[in-house]
Amino acid sequence: MNIKSALPATLLSVTFFSLAFAADSQEPEEAHPSKSSSEYLASSDGDLEKLMAAGFQNSLQSSALGSSSADLLSQNTNKIKSTWESLNTELGATDVTYDIILQAGHYNRKTGKTGTTGALVAEKWVTAYLVKNISDHLLSEGKYTVLAISADDYSPHLNAKIFLAIHADGSVKQCTTGPSLSYQDNGSTLAMHAIGWGLSQALGYKYSEFRQDGFTVDAAKYYMYKKLNAPIMKGLLEVGELTCPKREEQLIVGIDAVANNVARALSFVLASTTP
Ligand SMILES: [Zn+2]
């Protein structure tokens, strides 16, 4: 499907999620927010108008589902598996304000909450692949400083304009959770909508449906939020449920579009908030 995102039809949708538990029965460190926040819903029309007026949609890629999707599924599964160990994470410098800090969920963690696993790929492979490719897209623009960090190894008191952690869900009850973005209060709603729109288009949803069906925003209690400073946004992106075969395939086939679109969203937000 190549579904172009459309303007939202209704704004007052509130979706509820149950907590998603990892397939290995470990309680995940990232909990799905339980409902959309009122500021997120109230900002939808205005922020989407700003994004459309700036031509944001023209920079987005769509999911490549189609006749070649079986080949793409296998090619991309291999790419995701073979790339994850090549992600270069760093501790980061405390006297620098990075434009963006990206965290690959569960990356380099050997014990404890090591992430969920789908039939084809593990969460930590997906998060590393996305962080590497989002970072490469941003660095290729030649104007942003990007720091990639692992789950547990980073300098204390890091500073950035934007912090984004990437995760994927697992659920004991298959196919019960959708992609989501949760953010710490007082972040930029424009950033949320840009990332949400980009993710929905990469995965073949209309953004208006996506927000009602699986995209929620709330103040997540993510462990990293206390550990760094990022005034524009501290966000946690859940890119889909790996334990749901249909969603896992959707994510793998659309993985490069996800990386492109999230990078475009971050770049757009930085460009529009930095004088
Ligand atoms: Zn995770």
Side-chain angles (χ1 to χ4, degrees), residues 28-30 105-106 114-116 123 127 166-170 222 236 238:
E29 62 196 2
E30 71 274 15
H106 311 279
T114 53
T116 192
E123 179 183 358
T127 65
I166 312 273
H167 282 264
D169 284 310
Y222 189 51
L236 165 60
E238 293 277 2

Side-chain angles (χ1 to χ4, degrees), residues 41-86:
L41 293 171
S43 64
S44 293
D45 270 356
D47 282 345
L48 289 175
E49 270 171 30
K50 275 185 218 161
L51 289 164
M52 290 188 80
F56 175 67
Q57 66 276 22
N58 300 326
S59 68
L60 299 182
Q61 291 176 6
S62 294
S63 168
L65 287 174
S67 56
S68 63
S69 63
D71 286 346
L72 200 56
L73 182 65
S74 137
Q75 279 168 23
N76 284 4
T77 301
N78 290 333
K79 273 200 311 195
I80 291 166
K81 276 184 190 169
S82 62
T83 301
W84 80 284
E85 282 185 285
S86 66

